[in-house]
Structure formats: structure tokens, C-alpha cells
Amino acid sequence: CHVLQGNKTTSAQWYLCIFFYPLKKKVFKGYSRCRSTKSLGIACCDSDSENKSLAEKWKKAIKFITAGNNMTEDQTDCIPEIEQRHFVVYINPFSGRGKAMQIYKDHVKHVFCEAEIKSTVVKTEYAGHACKLAKEIELGKYDGIIIVSGDGLVHEVINGLMDRVDWEQAIKTPLGIVPGGSGNALAASIVYASTGHHPLPDVLPSSLFEICRGKICKVDILAMETSDTSHVKKAKITYGILGTVIGLISDIDIESERLRSLGSQTRMLLYALMRIATMRRYNLTVSFLPAMADKEFGLSLETSAEQNDNAIHNAIKENYTAAGDATETLVNDLLPPLDEPVPSTWSVSQGEFLQVTGVNLSHIAVDTILHPTKKRSDGLLFLTQITANVNRRSLLKLWDSMEDGTGLTERDNSSDVVVTPCRAFRIIPHSKHSEIVTLDGEKMPYGPFQCQVHPQLGRVFGTNY
């Protein structure tokens, strides 16, 4: 909201102009987020200065409550001032169909103006540039990092923050995601968590709405260890937020890049049909540490989010204490060395698979929900194993479920599709085919890899419905 001064043509000298972005039900299916404004003339006091002061008081109250704070009537005379926020905005002009800069000019800039948010725009110039920027940025100057791009730039920023000396504080920098790429899984998951609706209501304005509200939520960060190809036998660690994929979806995602000009939905659909027709099979050894709610971490899928949050917070403190100096490195305490066998507490299966995913979010794309019950800060990874025995009819039905919002849960488990909540997993590929493994949609070194979730390590702008 803004306080605006009237003129000779208006009935009041001072106005309170309020901007709304409510959800409205569509005629047939789903919701849209629409912009509307209300201008309220303030003319209940004897002097213009008193009317202006009253308008400013209303503005402070509205901003305070919109940010997620509670306020009683007794507090109206001492409302805390919400300071003007200043964001750095990273824009990848080449992401998706190359419209990220136009999205900033046509949408982000105007909404930030309404919310009285300052922004410093930085265009990325090459692959890995955002990682370098996040590693070197003076974070004390900004209230958050806004990313106008797809999941690839989010991936770079997270790894840049984790590569800093002050990583423990840096990774808590709030990230705001404005969908401008081809996947936009994180943006989709944030909008889904705040609305509970699928199909998602207008992801672009909804994402901006969450950023401007300013409420900060915790999010799990995934650590992926891959084999180092150099003469020094040391695992390479890369961080992510979406998850890892080997098989059908990773093949479709990477191989369809050559059709990027057709748009994400068209290129993904064409390659999906082709890959379902050919049915590549991957010989894999899949090992995982199941999430044992009663024995480790104090987590449960049945307990409340607040109880899980407390259990995770306590476990993180114990992990840091056991690891020693937490500011030096983040210890992947659940992962054995990659060249050693997994502990006896892990489950192991070997065979031919069509696809295996280890996912940290509800969505893998704006229009594709994989795990509707997956929360972004539950300390769990959802490992989905689809065996090579699954028939094409079941596979197409599975694809439909991801688009219509039902997705996959443990209740859908069968002999050919198994969803398992876990805290860590390892995958060893024994066949080559496409040699594609992805983390957050980015191609990773092909070979044995393992992953662990670090609960509530990161921060994003968003709310929970």
C-alpha cells in the first residue's frame, strides 16, 4: 500500500492506495491470482496533517500484518516500522525461452514498486556466473536474493552460498524465485505450499506475491557426492534443492534441450512419448537409509510440522556439535565413503529400472507434481523406484497422475513402483545408455553417487496454507 496526495479534482487531500492479489476461482477448473486496487480517501480529521498521519498509520499496520505478524488493537499506537527492503535480483537472460529480462521489466519491477522494494539488478553472463556472484556478494547489503530464471540459476546460487567461508549464515539468506526458466520446480512447490491448489494458480504473480509478503520459510538442502575422476580419491560434493534423477525423466530433460525453442511443455511431451516407446532400461544398485521415525531424528509423517521442526532443529545442533567446527564444512554424517559398502541399516536392491528419483520437493515442474505430500522442510527425501517391468499403460497412467495433481505417495506402492521416505541413498549404475544423471535438472558426472538431506538448512520466501 501507498499513501498518496490528492489534488484539486479529488474529494480528499490524502489517500490510502492498497494493492490486492486475491485468488479467484476460474469458471471451469482451478484458480487465478488477480490484481486489484482500492483507494480510500482519509478525511476524518480536522487538518490535512492529521489525515496524512492517519493514512501513514494505516499503511504501517497493513504492512506489519501482511508480513505475517499479529497485532492487537492496543498495539495500534506503537506499530513497529517495516523497513524498506533491498533485494539483489539475478536474471539469466538466456533461461527458458529467453524472456527473463522481459519478465523483470513487465512484472517484477512494477510489483516491487507497489511494495516499495528497492532492487539491484545483475544479469548473469555465462554458466556458473551466479555461483561466483553468490560466493562473492556482500550479503549484509541485501535482505534477500531474487532469482528470475529457472531451477538452474537457483542451483548455482545455492552452491555459491555453500562455497563461502561463512556458509552457515550465507545459506540462510532468503531466496525469492520468479519463474523464468523451463522447469521452475522450486517456484511451483512454493506456490503449491502456500495455496494447496493444483493446477497451480498463475505461478508468476503468485511467486511475486510471496516475495512481497516477505515471510521466510525453512527448506531442506540436498548434498550429492559423486566420484572424483582426478588422481586424488576424494568425493566431490554438490548441493541442490530439487533432487536427483537417473533414467526416464533425466533423459527427457537433458536430451530435449535441442528442442528448447518449442517451449518446455512441447519439448518434454515429444521426448516423453519417444522414451516411453523405446523404454530404456538401467541396471542399478539402489541403497537407502529409511526414515525411522522412532529410532533416528524423532521424525514422523504423522506428527505435526511443528513437532518435526523441533526434532530437526535439535538434531542439527547435535550434528554440528559432533562435527566440530561447523563453520568449516558441512559433514555428510549419514554417508559412508563412496568406495565402501553401505551400513547394514540400509536397504539394498539391484536390478533393471526404468527410473529412480530422490526428490526434495513436491513438484518437478510447474505442471508436474510428483509427491503432493512432500513438505520442503520435513527432513526427508522421497526415493521413487520404477522397475523395468512396468508396462506402458501403467507408465502413461503414472504420467497422467503427475499432471492431474494426484502424484505418487506410499499408498500407491506396487511391485513396479515404490515410494520410500528416506534420509540418504546411494545409486550405482552398471549400464551406460545415455549416461545422464541430474541434480536440480543439471547434468552431473555419470557414475556412482550418493545423497543426504540436510534439514531446514536453507531459506525461501513463502508461506504454508
Side-chain angles (χ1 to χ4, degrees):
C1 55
H2 293 177
V3 172
L4 303 176
Q5 189 170 11
N7 53 41
K8 293 179 181 179
T9 64
T10 60
S11 58
Q13 185 64 29
W14 293 100
Y15 285 82
L16 184 68
C17 185
I18 308 173
F19 304 91
F20 299 85
Y21 285 83
L23 287 175
K24 293 187 178 180
K25 193 169 180 60
K26 293 181 178 179
V27 176
F28 296 105
K29 184 180 179 180
Y31 289 79
S32 62
R33 192 174 289 282
C34 305
R35 177 187 182 275
S36 62
T37 62
K38 293 287 184 184
S39 293
L40 307 176
I42 309 297
C44 57
C45 300
D46 293 334
S47 68
D48 286 342
S49 61
E50 288 178 315
N51 285 326
K52 181 182 179 183
S53 296
L54 184 59
E56 294 285 359
K57 183 178 178 180
W58 271 97
K59 174 184 170 181
K60 283 174 64 177
I62 292 171
K63 287 202 166 193
F64 186 73
I65 295 171
T66 302
N69 303 301
N70 295 319
M71 186 178 68
T72 64
E73 188 175 350
D74 295 336
Q75 295 172 311
T76 55
D77 290 326
C78 54
I79 306 166
E81 185 77 46
I82 300 295
E83 294 184 7
Q84 185 179 26
R85 289 168 290 166
H86 186 187
F87 295 145
V88 62
V89 182
Y90 293 156
I91 301 176
N92 179 3
F94 309 106
S95 66
R97 303 182 75 174
K99 295 183 177 180
M101 181 54 70
Q102 201 61 44
I103 288 172
Y104 174 79
K105 292 178 180 177
D106 293 347
H107 302 279
V108 181
K109 186 176 179 181
H110 296 294
V111 177
F112 278 9
C113 182
E114 291 175 354
E116 298 182 328
I117 293 172
K118 290 174 60 180
S119 61
T120 299
V121 176
V122 180
K123 288 194 295 184
T124 59
E125 300 172 2
Y126 51 85
H129 190 194
C131 183
K132 183 176 184 292
L133 291 169
K135 185 177 178 179
E136 298 175 352
I137 187 175
E138 187 180 342
L139 291 172
K141 293 172 58 178
Y142 304 103
D143 298 292
I145 298 174
I146 310 304
I147 299 165
V148 186
S149 183
D151 295 314
L153 212 65
V154 179
H155 177 82
E156 287 190 26
V157 169
I158 287 173
N159 280 277
L161 295 174
M162 289 299 296
D163 200 27
R164 295 167 62 107
V165 175
D166 62 342
W167 67 267
E168 190 177 356
Q169 289 303 317
I171 194 61
K172 293 180 173 63
T173 303
L175 304 181
I177 319 302
V178 179
S182 53
N184 305 308
L186 180 55
S189 297
I190 290 173
V191 173
Y192 179 70
S194 67
T195 64
H197 295 306
H198 187 93
L200 299 174
D202 304 328
V203 181
L204 176 56
S206 293
S207 298
L208 283 168
F209 178 73
E210 294 299 327
I211 293 169
C212 291
R213 286 196 67 183
K215 188 167 183 180
I216 299 168
C217 291
K218 299 172 184 176
V219 64
D220 300 339
I221 299 294
L222 179 70
M224 179 180 185
E225 290 190 1
T226 54
S227 300
D228 190 348
T229 56
S230 68
H231 66 283
V232 180
K233 290 187 176 181
K234 183 180 179 182
K236 184 181 187 304
I237 301 174
T238 310
Y239 297 95
I241 198 167
L242 167 56
T244 63
V245 185
I246 182 170
L248 179 64
I249 290 181
S250 58
D251 287 357
I252 293 170
D253 190 17
I254 299 300
E255 292 181 343
S256 66
E257 282 286 325
R258 66 193 70 176
L259 300 178
R260 178 180 284 265
S261 61
L262 298 179
S264 60
Q265 289 185 324
T266 302
R267 72 178 175 92
M268 295 284 277
L269 177 60
L270 289 174
Y271 260 81
L273 293 173
M274 184 170 68
R275 284 291 158 249
I276 289 173
T278 55
M279 297 281 276
R280 284 177 179 164
R281 301 181 177 200
Y282 288 82
N283 193 309
L284 309 170
T285 298
V286 181
S287 311
F288 60 91
L289 175 62
M292 304 296 291
D294 56 338
K295 293 183 180 179
E296 54 162 353
F297 220 41
L299 289 178
S300 170
L301 295 176
E302 285 74 37
T303 57
S304 70
E306 183 177 359
Q307 288 173 306
N308 278 347
D309 284 355
N310 291 334
I312 291 169
H313 178 72
N314 292 333
I316 290 174
K317 286 173 64 178
E318 292 173 7
N319 184 29
Y320 282 171
T321 302
D325 187 359
T327 61
E328 290 186 4
T329 183
L330 181 61
V331 177
N332 294 321
D333 59 316
L334 300 178
L335 301 178
L338 199 49
D339 57 354
E340 294 182 8
V342 297
S344 58
T345 53
W346 289 44
S347 299
V348 181
S349 61
Q350 182 171 349
E352 289 196 323
F353 295 85
L354 191 66
Q355 175 179 287
V356 178
T357 62
V359 175
N360 190 40
L361 300 173
S362 59
H363 286 65
I364 57 174
V366 166
D367 55 351
T368 309
I369 183 168
L370 190 56
H371 301 299
T373 61
K374 180 72 183 75
K375 306 301 181 186
R376 60 187 169 221
S377 61
D378 56 13
L380 302 171
L381 293 169
F382 277 23
L383 184 71
T384 303
Q385 303 173 68
I386 303 178
T387 73
N389 295 325
V390 67
N391 58 54
R392 289 180 177 84
R393 183 177 178 181
S394 298
L395 199 58
L396 288 170
K397 184 178 179 181
L398 176 62
W399 199 273
D400 286 341
S401 73
M402 291 190 294
E403 293 191 342
D404 67 19
T406 54
L408 288 173
T409 67
E410 287 182 278
R411 299 185 187 91
D412 302 310
N413 283 354
S414 65
S415 58
D416 297 325
V417 180
V418 180
V419 180
T420 310
C422 66
R423 291 188 57 210
F425 63 87
R426 175 189 289 180
I427 297 177
I428 302 176
H430 304 293
S431 54
K432 296 200 172 178
H433 295 309
S434 61
E435 298 193 9
I436 293 175
V437 173
T438 60
L439 171 63
D440 295 356
E442 300 299 305
K443 193 172 180 180
M444 302 298 292
Y446 189 77
F449 66 92
Q450 55 187 9
C451 299
Q452 171 181 341
V453 64
H454 289 281
Q456 302 185 0
L457 193 62
R459 301 289 186 271
V460 293
F461 288 111
T463 54
N464 295 315
Y465 71 92

